[in-house]
Amino acid sequence: NAGVTQTPKFQVLKTGQSMTLQCAQDMNHEYMSWYRQDPGMGLRLIHYSVGAGITDQGEVPNGYNVSRSTTEDFPLRLLSAAPSQTSVYFCASRDSRNTIYFGEGSWLTVV
Amino acid sequence: AQSVTQLGSHVSVSEGALVLLRCNYSSSVPPYLFWYVQYPNQGLQLLLKYTTGATLVKGINGFEAEFKKSETSFHLTKPSAHMSDAAEYFCAVTPSGFQKLVFGTGTRLLVSP
């Protein structure tokens, strides 16, 4: 049982480039979400999904897109990377007992 | 809207001393409350959670927290700190309908010998 798997773990982008952070879970969880973590700000919700085909915005959605074509996958797309998007990104899924499982994080630097 | 305030960005204790990390929440509906721990360069691990029922919640690694509705608090405690407890701790809240989990800004626990 792999849990929540994120790739890549580390990435350096140039300003204006696009990329996709991948997230997959093998626990058949309906709810998945993306957070970003910045020093002194805790984790802030970017987007979330309550099931395949359904997504919604969180606290800081600007500059990010998501889709949920399958229960397992919830990719996060950066459309045109900016230095302000330098952060650590965490994908998470939630089980029926409201326990959230986090991936190990993706460190993104935009130069 | 829900929010969480963690008092103290850093807390320092000696090994063997009591650990107390403070969390106050704001919620317009009955909340679910969580404590997570994050070790360097790792993801977040659930320590404990309160949903309904007993207000004193026991978690992993000897931690516990008490939900006090009158004080809107959910402070995390451990009777005796170990060096391995050094990490960052996050309190989080969600309404019982659970659409969004809102995190506090975190408290870094430093444990000295």
Side-chain angles (χ1 to χ4, degrees):
Chain A
N1 188 340
V4 179
T5 303
Q6 290 181 232
T7 56
K9 191 168 181 69
F10 299 99
Q11 182 73 48
V12 178
L13 284 180
K14 294 182 179 178
T15 297
Q17 285 185 318
S18 63
M19 77 158 297
T20 299
L21 298 176
Q22 302 290 345
C23 177
Q25 52 94 7
D26 60 359
M27 298 173 282
N28 202 33
H29 293 165
E30 293 292 334
Y31 183 96
M32 296 184 73
S33 54
W34 276 101
Y35 290 85
R36 60 177 288 173
Q37 183 179 22
D38 302 289
M41 303 189 76
L43 279 78
R44 292 180 292 167
L45 182 64
I46 304 172
H47 285 285
Y48 66 99
S49 168
V50 298
I54 306 170
T55 63
D56 205 348
Q57 295 181 349
E59 183 183 355
V60 288
N62 292 340
Y64 307 95
N65 272 0
V66 292
S67 60
R68 186 91 180 274
S69 57
T70 67
T71 298
E72 294 77 19
D73 300 300
F74 190 45
L76 178 72
R77 296 182 184 84
L78 280 70
L79 308 173
S80 177
S84 60
Q85 293 179 301
T86 293
S87 188
V88 184
Y89 292 85
F90 289 97
C91 180
S93 69
R94 188 195 82 196
D95 67 14
S96 59
R97 297 174 66 184
N98 292 324
T99 296
I100 287 192
Y101 299 84
F102 284 87
E104 296 205 341
S106 296
W107 275 254
L108 175 66
T109 301
V110 182
V111 298
Chain B
Q2 287 69 43
S3 66
V4 171
T5 301
Q6 291 184 242
L7 296 176
S9 59
H10 292 79
V11 170
S12 296
V13 300
S14 299
E15 193 172 21
L18 172 71
V19 175
L20 171 61
L21 303 182
R22 299 178 186 274
C23 172
N24 288 89
Y25 70 90
S26 171
S27 179
S28 56
V29 297
Y32 288 178
L33 294 156
F34 304 79
W35 275 100
Y36 284 86
V37 61
Q38 185 180 33
Y39 298 101
N41 298 321
Q42 294 187 22
L44 278 74
Q45 180 183 6
L46 180 67
L47 274 177
L48 50 80
K49 65 179 180 181
Y50 168 80
T51 53
T52 59
T55 57
L56 182 61
V57 181
K58 295 187 183 298
I60 62 172
N61 302 338
F63 284 94
E64 63 182 35
E66 186 171 11
F67 170 61
K68 292 187 176 181
K69 184 178 179 181
S70 61
E71 299 178 7
T72 61
S73 69
F74 191 58
H75 301 332
L76 182 70
T77 61
K78 182 174 180 178
S80 177
H82 294 170
M83 296 296 291
S84 60
D85 293 328
E88 190 153 21
Y89 293 80
F90 292 93
C91 182
V93 64
T94 185
S96 53
F98 205 117
Q99 288 299 315
K100 301 177 184 180
L101 189 62
V102 177
F103 285 85
T105 54
T107 297
R108 185 169 298 279
L109 177 65
L110 307 170
V111 182
S112 56

